[in-house]
Amino acid sequence: MHVICTAGHVDHGKSTVVEALTGINPDRLIEEQERQMTIDLGFAWIDLPQIGTVGIVDVPGHVDFIGNMLAGVSSVAAVLLVVAADEGIMPQTKEHIAIMDLLQIDRGVVVITKTDLVESYDWVELVQDDVRDRLCNTTLSDAPFVHFTTVSQDVSELHRVLVECLDSHVAQSDKDMPRLNIDRVFTLAGFGTVLTGTLLDGMLEVGDEVEIYPVGLCGRIRGMQTYNTPIEVASPGIRIAINISGINKSEIGRGAVVARPGQFYPTQLIDVSIRLLAEDHNLIPLRHNEQVKLFVGAAEVMARARIIGSEKIMPGDNGWIQLDLSSEIVVQKGDRYILRRPSPGNTIGGGRILDEHPSVRHPLYDTSTLSRFQIMSDGTSNEILLQYFETRGIVSVNSVLTESGLELNEAITILKSMISNGEVVVLGNKDHKLTVGSKQFVLSDASWQNQLKQVYDQLFGYHQKYPLRTGMQREELKSRMKLDTNTFNVLIIEMANLGKVLIKASVVSLPKHEVVLRGQQKQQVDILINQFVDDPYNTPSKSQVINMIGDDVLAVILDQGILVSIEPDLLFLLDTYEFMVEETKKYILQKGSITVAEVRDMFSTSRKYALGFLEHMDSEGITLRIGDTRELL
């Protein structure tokens, strides 16, 4: 399925052409019908042979409603540019052509209307030549022309040309990240709140849980329609109306986005490339920190334009800016946008979003930022993907495929190539397919080497400072690396699998790190062990041992298995503990059970030690307490 839009000056016959094509009057508002002028977006559809159902968004041509027009053209496959023969190119014709070019809409049909209202066909040809000259050097330079008369309203030729125009159009990408830019919100009796828009980048099903961004409302899809037909599943590229449970119309406006819960993160700061219009569109440079109005998707928001690399951008020039938005929006890398001055209202330029979540506000002059923008704007697909890795660090495969701005199959092909030639490192299972939804994490080789160095430096420094500790706690290392839990875990496990680190319980260390007691510490331990040997069942308490040799040395001999800790304050030699366990088990097998007093007498120890020992056996699942006795589990 395809969605197309109209474009052109007010009263040039856009709605008349749409109604002749489809039999549907797109002017749905009473005021529009009374004034015979489109004010807001109108919608209609037509079934074309070989193409299927084509949705048509009819946009207003009056300058006062340019915001409404921009909300309707953001997600279309082609345009019907309507020019009246009796007036020719008018101001809004020029602005609409410029907007189509900035949005890179490269398929369309020019409809010359009202050809029966001019005196001669020569005049029609003059108008047609004028339009062709205006389209030269734009994305619509090859658009075919069709004539339309007010009297006959014959659209057979327009049907044929429109089929040819859409037949070669590439289907909407399916990144499995459905996104619906809401261009209309209304309430329908018996249904509740209904949202409409063109679905991008994925599929939605009745029953799906969805979130409305940036407001954060969640609900479930109760029903969907496309062109007045109920559907269960919506595919990318079609216009749909969805009914969502638990959502109030007053809470949502045009420009919001419907997607899966947690799929997007709203932003108020975006990096973009820009082409500034010149000639009769714009004669004023864009200056640093100038206030502008951003149109992207169906959203309209005020912004501050922070130019990167210069104090201003001249009309007709290209550049890069960071837009500081007055409110949150949801966009993706690669989305096209339009900029207008709020007063006097005119379109000044547009371009493509390079980064929807820049980490910092860039300084005015910074060579590394300019270099990065250059690659993001004009680099090869390989350079763009590598740049993405360098700016994002460790990312999921899913993020690479859906956020890099590349077409899905191209991104998969390039990512596979980068992995095979060693430019990109995969963390986790290397055998899993690289698809949207993959669980692996990836990073550039340069980033991998940097992560290895950081971990090595952290652990080496820790071993130098605490030579008697086996290693650093995982939580502490994660905190020092400034990584989230999931990312840190896959990174450190990969390093352990490659022998770069050792992981023992919750402790991480370098493979060559050894804890060796020397000098006075070794002498203190030898004296302590002799005390344990001399009276193995009435040993010094843990607190006494710490006073004798210190926490770190105790941790060493516990880790080496010389002593066993019996909580809360008891210690035994490992051999002694194992002997006590075996003797206790034998006694229970013979007698059926054992008491604290019997353990005390068996090992000539105190009640405190006997009770602590039995409670430890309970906690280890060796014995079970029944009243005052213990039995084997």
Side-chain angles (χ1 to χ4, degrees):
M1 292 185 180
H2 303 281
V3 177
I4 65 175
C5 70
T6 61
H9 197 74
V10 62
D11 200 33
H12 274 207
K14 295 186 295 297
S15 299
T16 302
V17 170
V18 171
E19 187 170 5
L21 264 175
T22 65
I24 301 169
N25 182 359
D27 288 338
R28 55 188 171 81
L29 302 178
I30 294 176
E31 183 183 0
E32 292 176 320
Q33 295 170 11
E34 289 176 347
R35 296 172 62 180
Q36 293 189 330
M37 180 179 74
T38 302
I39 296 173
D40 205 347
L41 301 177
F43 306 101
W45 59 92
I46 182 175
D47 289 320
L48 292 177
Q50 305 169 28
I51 302 298
T53 303
V54 176
I56 303 177
V57 181
D58 186 33
V59 306
H62 197 286
V63 64
D64 291 345
F65 307 117
I66 190 69
N68 292 346
M69 177 268 181
L70 285 165
V73 302
S74 62
S75 308
V76 299
V79 58
L80 292 178
L81 177 63
V82 178
V83 182
D86 60 341
E87 289 191 329
I89 292 179
M90 296 294 283
Q92 287 311 113
T93 314
K94 297 175 183 178
E95 186 167 19
H96 285 197
I97 290 172
I99 287 169
M100 298 300 152
D101 189 45
L102 290 169
L103 293 176
Q104 294 291 288
I105 297 172
D106 58 1
R107 283 177 173 77
V109 178
V110 181
V111 184
I112 306 295
T113 60
K114 306 183 182 182
T115 56
D116 51 337
L117 300 183
V118 296
E119 294 182 358
S120 70
Y121 187 74
D122 289 342
W123 180 260
V124 175
E125 291 212 321
L126 284 174
V127 170
Q128 187 165 303
D129 289 342
D130 193 20
V131 175
R132 186 174 283 113
D133 288 342
R134 172 61 63 166
L135 293 178
C136 184
N137 299 320
T138 74
T139 53
L140 295 173
S141 59
D142 296 327
F145 285 71
V146 174
H147 296 171
F148 179 86
T149 65
T150 306
V151 175
S152 71
Q153 296 195 358
D154 181 11
V155 292
S156 57
E157 179 65 6
L158 181 53
H159 270 202
R160 184 189 66 79
V161 174
L162 195 52
V163 168
E164 290 180 357
C165 173
L166 294 175
D167 192 40
S168 60
H169 178 69
V170 178
Q172 271 280 346
S173 65
D174 185 351
K175 297 180 180 179
D176 195 29
M177 293 188 69
R179 175 172 52 141
L180 185 76
N181 293 316
I182 300 171
D183 55 32
R184 188 180 171 208
V185 183
F186 58 94
T187 302
L188 199 60
F191 290 91
T193 301
V194 177
L195 317 173
T196 71
T198 301
L199 183 61
L200 306 174
D201 293 337
M203 304 175 72
L204 288 176
E205 281 189 64
V206 172
D208 281 351
E209 290 282 349
V210 292
E211 182 174 350
I212 300 175
Y213 302 83
V215 291
L217 297 173
C218 292
R220 186 183 298 275
I221 298 177
R222 294 173 57 187
M224 290 192 295
Q225 283 192 0
T226 181
Y227 314 121
N228 280 354
T229 302
I231 56 174
E232 291 292 318
V233 180
S235 302
I238 68 170
R239 281 199 62 80
I240 57 172
I242 61 177
N243 174 221
I244 301 177
S245 62
I247 301 296
N248 193 296
K249 176 187 173 183
S250 63
E251 299 174 297
I252 313 165
R254 173 179 285 172
V257 173
V258 178
R260 290 174 182 150
Q263 180 174 299
F264 292 113
Y265 297 96
T267 182
Q268 281 189 249
L269 195 67
I270 55 176
D271 293 338
V272 302
S273 63
I274 185 169
R275 173 163 63 89
L276 218 60
L277 296 176
E279 300 174 349
D280 48 357
H281 299 292
N282 174 55
L283 298 176
I284 306 172
L286 177 66
R287 300 187 182 278
H288 186 64
N289 276 332
E290 183 176 342
Q291 191 174 55
V292 292
K293 189 175 286 187
L294 169 73
F295 295 84
V296 59
E300 174 182 342
V301 60
M302 296 300 296
R304 187 74 60 182
R306 305 182 65 253
I307 299 174
I308 309 300
S310 65
E311 293 284 349
K312 60 185 177 182
I313 301 174
M314 299 301 294
D317 284 351
N318 297 317
W320 298 287
I321 58 178
Q322 188 172 62
L323 292 172
D324 195 343
L325 311 178
S326 62
S327 58
E328 289 186 329
I329 60 172
V330 166
V331 291
Q332 281 194 290
K333 183 176 181 180
D335 286 352
R336 309 295 304 192
Y337 74 91
I338 297 294
L339 278 193
R340 304 190 86 237
R341 282 196 173 94
S343 180
N346 68 303
T347 300
I348 61 173
R352 188 164 57 91
I353 293 175
L354 304 178
D355 191 346
E356 71 274 34
H357 291 291
S359 56
V360 296
R361 282 176 167 77
H362 307 300
L364 180 61
Y365 296 102
D366 182 74
T367 54
S368 63
T369 300
L370 290 172
S371 175
R372 184 166 64 87
F373 282 176
Q374 185 71 57
I375 291 174
M376 293 164 74
S377 298
D378 306 314
T380 65
S381 297
N382 288 60
E383 290 172 332
I384 291 171
L385 201 56
L386 197 57
Q387 180 73 71
Y388 176 85
F389 281 119
E390 290 174 357
T391 56
R392 297 300 174 92
I394 305 171
V395 292
S396 67
V397 169
N398 180 73
S399 297
V400 176
L401 299 183
T402 58
E403 298 175 7
S404 64
L406 300 178
E407 191 275 326
L408 180 59
N409 290 330
E410 181 184 27
I412 291 173
T413 300
I414 295 173
L415 181 57
K416 286 180 178 178
S417 174
M418 286 182 163
I419 292 170
S420 65
N421 64 27
E423 290 180 279
V424 170
V425 176
V426 180
L427 305 179
N429 194 324
K430 311 297 190 293
D431 298 327
H432 284 177
K433 289 181 65 177
L434 301 177
T435 60
V436 173
S438 296
K439 302 301 182 183
Q440 304 106 306
F441 282 76
V442 286
L443 69 167
S444 69
D445 180 64
S447 181
W448 166 248
Q449 298 301 329
N450 180 56
Q451 295 290 344
L452 283 173
K453 184 178 185 305
Q454 283 191 55
V455 169
Y456 178 85
D457 289 346
Q458 290 290 348
L459 292 178
F460 183 80
Y462 191 87
H463 292 327
Q464 291 290 102
K465 187 174 181 179
Y466 305 107
L468 295 182
R469 297 184 185 178
T470 55
M472 188 187 299
Q473 291 291 322
R474 286 177 66 144
E475 277 298 312
E476 182 177 351
L477 182 57
K478 176 174 75 71
S479 177
R480 293 191 184 191
M481 297 289 291
K482 295 181 172 61
L483 296 173
D484 63 83
T485 300
N486 199 22
T487 304
F488 173 78
N489 285 341
V490 295
L491 179 72
I492 207 69
I493 289 171
E494 183 71 16
M495 290 182 178
N497 290 339
L498 294 173
K500 304 296 184 181
V501 298
L502 291 177
I503 301 175
K504 185 175 181 181
S506 61
V507 174
V508 185
S509 64
L510 293 175
K512 293 184 178 180
H513 175 65
E514 289 183 340
V515 177
V516 179
L517 298 175
R518 294 184 175 90
Q520 183 179 1
Q521 291 169 335
K522 187 176 185 308
Q523 292 176 3
Q524 289 175 334
V525 170
D526 289 341
I527 293 171
L528 177 68
I529 297 305
N530 285 333
Q531 291 186 31
F532 275 75
V533 171
D534 291 342
D535 194 354
Y537 308 117
N538 295 283
T539 57
S541 67
K542 186 180 294 184
S543 55
Q544 290 172 327
V545 170
I546 290 172
N547 288 333
M548 294 172 61
I549 62 174
D551 277 310
D552 286 348
V553 177
L554 174 59
V556 171
I557 58 179
L558 286 171
D559 185 66
Q560 291 177 346
I562 297 172
L563 295 182
V564 175
S565 177
I566 306 298
E567 294 298 338
D569 198 36
L570 306 181
L571 296 168
F572 291 111
L573 287 170
L574 176 61
D575 291 344
T576 301
Y577 169 75
E578 290 176 345
F579 174 77
M580 292 173 69
V581 170
E582 290 304 314
E583 290 300 306
T584 302
K585 288 164 67 175
K586 289 178 184 178
Y587 187 94
I588 296 174
L589 285 172
Q590 292 176 357
K591 304 290 186 178
S593 64
I594 195 169
T595 63
V596 173
E598 288 170 333
V599 170
R600 180 198 60 197
D601 295 342
M602 183 188 305
F603 299 112
S604 300
T605 186
S606 68
R607 177 177 175 80
K608 171 187 172 182
Y609 276 57
L611 179 60
F613 171 69
L614 284 178
E615 288 179 344
H616 178 74
M617 289 187 66
D618 293 342
S619 67
E620 291 293 304
I622 301 171
T623 56
L624 175 66
R625 179 176 177 176
I626 300 176
D628 292 332
T629 65
R630 263 74 175 181
E631 296 180 3
L632 291 178
L633 273 176

